[in-house]
Amino acid sequence: QVHLVEYGGGLVQSGGSLRLSCEASLGTHETFETYHMGWFRQVPGKERQFVAGITKRGGFTGVEDFAEGRFTISRDNAKNMVYLQMNSLKPEDTAVYFCAADTESLTREEVHYWGQGTQVTVSS
């Protein structure tokens, strides 16, 4: 069992930057390296959308096309933290951003653990 809390969202102008953080609280006998970590986002009326993922030890990252060259995912296993650095933000990036964790998969359908979400609003 892992409890995820994400923060760092807010209001930013188009072209600006934000860094989202997600802190994982684990059981005494759990290790953060057990989990692949990722970020998803969702706007009203649309499905929750994959943004970026990072493997258990940080050896591989993947970013969706809309975020390529703008967003970077990273993790610090010593701190049980995962981050999403977002640069060159666009109004269409406005969404609630969710931290996600799973031992095997980061597909929307298979993720077992979600954070509560943090709002990102990009003004034009």
Side-chain angles (χ1 to χ4, degrees):
Q1 297 183 2
V2 57
H3 178 64
L4 306 174
V5 177
E6 61 267 72
Y7 54 91
L11 176 64
V12 65
Q13 290 185 324
S14 181
S17 298
L18 286 173
R19 189 176 81 155
L20 306 183
S21 301
C22 175
E23 183 174 11
S25 297
L26 303 160
T28 301
H29 302 292
E30 285 192 293
T31 173
F32 190 48
E33 293 183 357
T34 300
Y35 297 97
H36 301 293
M37 300 296 297
W39 291 93
F40 291 71
R41 68 186 189 184
Q42 189 169 27
V43 299
K46 295 186 66 177
E47 295 180 342
R48 191 167 295 185
Q49 179 185 37
F50 178 79
V51 176
I54 186 166
T55 52
K56 296 176 179 181
R57 299 179 67 179
F60 176 81
T61 61
V63 181
E64 280 295 300
D65 288 345
F66 65 81
E68 183 67 36
R70 300 190 299 126
F71 294 4
T72 302
I73 188 171
S74 61
R75 67 191 293 165
D76 185 341
N77 286 347
K79 297 181 178 180
N80 297 343
M81 298 285 292
V82 62
Y83 308 96
L84 184 68
Q85 179 67 46
M86 302 186 294
N87 300 324
S88 301
L89 283 163
K90 307 173 182 179
E92 52 262 44
D93 294 318
T94 296
V96 177
Y97 283 72
F98 296 89
C99 183
D102 198 89
T103 58
E104 296 185 19
S105 175
L106 287 175
T107 66
R108 182 183 64 249
E109 296 83 4
E110 295 181 304
V111 167
H112 283 88
Y113 304 103
W114 298 96
Q116 82 289 347
T118 185
Q119 177 71 46
V120 172
T121 302
V122 184
S123 65
S124 60

